Amino acid sequence: MKKALKILIVDDDQMVLDSLKALLKIKGYEIDTTSSARDALRLINQNIFDLALLDVMMPEMTGFELLDSLNRESLDTMFMIMTGDTSMDFAIEAIRKMANDYIRKPFEPDELLVRVEMVLKQKKMRDERKNVEIEKKNLEKQLQHSQKMETIGTLAGGIAHDFNNMLGIIIGSAELALESVNNDDPVNKYINKILTASTRAEEMVKRLLSF
C-alpha cells in the first residue's frame, strides 16, 4: 500500500486550517495543522513532512522568519508560502527565502490542489535525483573495492609465485642435506621436519596460484 504524503498546514486562522485540512484530506494526504509558528518549528524539526504550507503573517513569527529558523539542509520538506498581501515584495521575499512555491489568498480550492501537486512532483523528482546520485556513489565505491581486490589478488599471486620459488630452494637444499647425513644422525630428524613443512607450504602455494 502506497504511503500517504504528509502535509503540515500553519496558519493563525482556525477556519483556514479546518478548510484546508478537509480539502487536502479528500485527496488522500495525511494532514497536521497548527496555528502557532513556534509549534510549527518544533513539528518540522521532529517529524518528516513532504510539504509545509506556511502563512506569512502570524503573531509569534512570520512564515519567512520560520523559514530562517530552520536548518533547510537537514530537511527534506518542501515549503509553500501563503499570504493575503498582493504586493510583489512578498513574492520576491518568498523567492529569496527559497520557498518552493507562493500562493496568494484568497485562492480557489482547485488552484491550491494543483499547486500542491506540482510542488510534490518537484519533490519526487528531486528525491529520485538524490537516489540516483546515492546509487551512483555506491556503485563507484563497489568498483573501487573491486579494483582494490583485483590489485591485491595480483600482488598476492606475485608474492605466492616468489614464495614458491624460495620453497623450491629450501626443499632442494634439505634433500641434499638429508643425503649427506647418516640416518642415525640427530640432525636427520630436523631436516625431515623442514622437508615436511616445506612440502605442505608448497602445496598451499600451488592451490593459491591455481585460483
Side-chain angles (χ1 to χ4, degrees):
M1 185 176 178
K2 189 177 180 181
K3 187 178 178 182
L5 298 174
K6 196 170 183 179
I7 298 176
L8 175 66
I9 307 170
V10 188
D11 199 303
D12 61 331
D13 188 328
Q14 190 61 46
M15 288 184 63
V16 171
L17 287 179
D18 292 341
S19 61
L20 292 182
K21 181 177 181 178
L23 175 66
L24 292 168
K25 281 195 79 171
I26 292 173
K27 292 297 182 180
Y29 299 117
E30 183 181 339
I31 308 299
D32 282 351
T33 65
T34 180
S35 58
S36 165
R38 295 196 183 280
D39 188 43
L41 189 61
R42 177 186 64 80
L43 287 169
I44 293 169
N45 283 325
Q46 293 181 357
N47 300 272
I48 297 174
F49 293 100
D50 295 287
L51 172 64
L53 303 178
L54 308 179
D55 187 32
V56 172
M57 301 308 297
M58 291 183 285
E60 297 170 316
M61 66 173 75
T62 68
F64 294 136
E65 289 171 337
L66 196 158
L67 283 175
D68 284 337
S69 301
L70 295 167
N71 181 4
R72 298 287 295 278
E73 290 184 2
S74 67
L75 296 172
D76 198 33
T77 306
M78 305 289 274
F79 294 91
M80 182 186 293
I81 293 294
M82 304 182 294
T83 180
D85 194 294
T86 58
S87 70
M88 285 301 296
D89 291 340
F90 277 85
I92 292 169
E93 186 68 4
I95 294 170
R96 195 174 72 83
K97 298 294 183 182
M98 297 183 70
N100 301 102
D101 202 358
Y102 169 91
I103 190 167
R104 290 191 178 95
K105 298 178 181 178
F107 43 75
E108 293 295 323
D110 286 345
E111 180 187 4
L112 178 68
L113 291 173
V114 169
R115 301 284 279 276
V116 165
E117 187 177 350
M118 285 176 62
V119 172
L120 291 173
K121 281 183 178 178
Q122 290 174 20
K123 182 180 185 299
K124 183 181 178 182
M125 291 172 64
R126 186 190 68 185
D127 291 346
E128 286 173 349
R129 286 197 298 270
K130 282 183 179 179
N131 290 335
V132 168
E133 285 299 316
I134 291 170
E135 185 65 24
K136 182 180 176 182
K137 287 180 180 178
N138 287 337
L139 288 172
E140 287 175 351
K141 286 181 181 178
Q142 290 176 14
L143 179 60
Q144 289 172 358
H145 179 71
S146 177
Q147 289 172 338
K148 283 181 181 178
M149 293 304 294
E150 185 179 349
T151 302
I152 290 170
T154 302
L155 181 62
I159 293 171
H161 184 75
D162 291 341
F163 190 53
N164 192 52
N165 290 338
M166 287 187 285
L167 281 172
I169 295 170
I170 292 169
I171 292 169
S173 298
E175 287 174 344
L176 288 172
L178 195 62
E179 291 176 0
S180 64
V181 298
N182 297 323
N183 289 335
D184 56 350
D185 194 317
V187 176
N188 189 289
K189 179 176 67 174
Y190 298 111
I191 295 173
N192 277 311
K193 284 184 178 181
I194 293 170
L195 276 171
T196 301
S198 299
T199 303
R200 287 178 181 174
E202 187 180 40
E203 287 299 319
M204 290 175 64
V205 171
K206 284 179 180 177
R207 289 177 187 174
L208 285 172
L209 290 170
S210 68
F211 280 110

